Structure formats: C-alpha cells, structure tokens
C-alpha cells in the first residue's frame, strides 16, 4: 500500500467499533418550572389585573361617571344622568 499522508487516509484504516451515545437533558432550572406553570399563571395574572382595575374603578366611580357624562352627553347631561341612574338601579336589582 502506498504511503499516504494523514488527509488521504480512509475510514477503513480506522475501523474502530462505534461508541454508544446517551443523550442527557440539561438539569432543570427555575425558568423551566415557570414554563410548566404557565397555563396556570396566565389566568391568575389576568384575574389579578381585572381585580386591580375593578377596585380602582369602584374607588373612582363618581369621577368616571362624570367623565363619561361629559364625553357622551355633550349638552344632554340631564338626560344622560337620568339614563345612567336608571341603568344603575336596574343592574343593582
């Protein structure tokens, strides 16, 4: 067999049995646990935001009512006030 340099050697000349390979997943960290809890955390976060906005709306309800009257009423404040009062009474029943 003629003398070959390193680059010209074939795989047959290096016939070693294949090595068994085991794929090991990396160890779990804190973010992996949060990804697992994501289906539970998303609705809870949405519920928290809704509760926060509801509390602020209830605290400032008269201010919001007056702003809505000014925005929608535009000259019909008396009629809008009566309509909102009537709606509030019907909803509270």
């Amino acid at each position: 067999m003629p003398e070959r340099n390193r680059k010209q050697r074939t795989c047959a000349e290096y016939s070693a049995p294949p090595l068994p390979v085991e794929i090991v997943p990396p160890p779990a960290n804190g973010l992996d646990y949060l990804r697992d809890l994501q289906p539970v955390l998303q609705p809870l976060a949405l519920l928290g935001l809704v509760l926060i906005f509801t509390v602020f709306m209830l605290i400032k309800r008269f201010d919001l009512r007056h702003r809505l009257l000014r925005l929608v009423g535009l000259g019909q404040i008396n009629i809008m006030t009566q309509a909102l009062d009537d709606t509030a009474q019907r909803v509270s029943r």
Side-chain angles (χ1 to χ4, degrees):
M1 189 184 284
E3 193 68 31
R4 295 182 182 173
N5 63 19
R6 281 189 190 162
K7 292 181 182 177
Q8 294 177 340
R9 291 185 182 166
T10 63
C11 289
E13 294 175 12
Y14 293 109
S15 61
L19 297 175
V21 177
E22 182 180 345
I23 298 175
V24 179
N29 58 15
L31 290 175
D32 291 334
Y33 293 121
L34 286 178
R35 284 189 201 116
D36 293 339
L37 292 176
Q38 185 178 7
V40 175
L41 292 179
Q42 280 183 335
L44 288 177
L46 182 63
L47 177 68
L49 285 174
V50 167
L51 287 176
I52 288 171
F53 282 125
T54 303
V55 167
F56 280 113
M57 287 176 69
L58 288 174
I59 290 172
K60 299 282 189 175
R61 71 175 184 249
F62 290 113
D63 184 40
L64 290 174
R65 178 175 180 247
H66 292 301
R67 288 183 187 193
L68 180 68
L69 286 174
R70 276 188 266 147
L71 180 66
V72 179
L74 298 178
Q76 300 174 3
I77 293 178
N78 199 13
I79 295 171
M80 280 297 296
T81 304
Q82 290 173 0
L84 281 176
D85 288 339
D86 184 41
T87 305
Q89 287 177 359
R90 291 181 184 197
V91 169
S92 65
R93 287 183 196 175

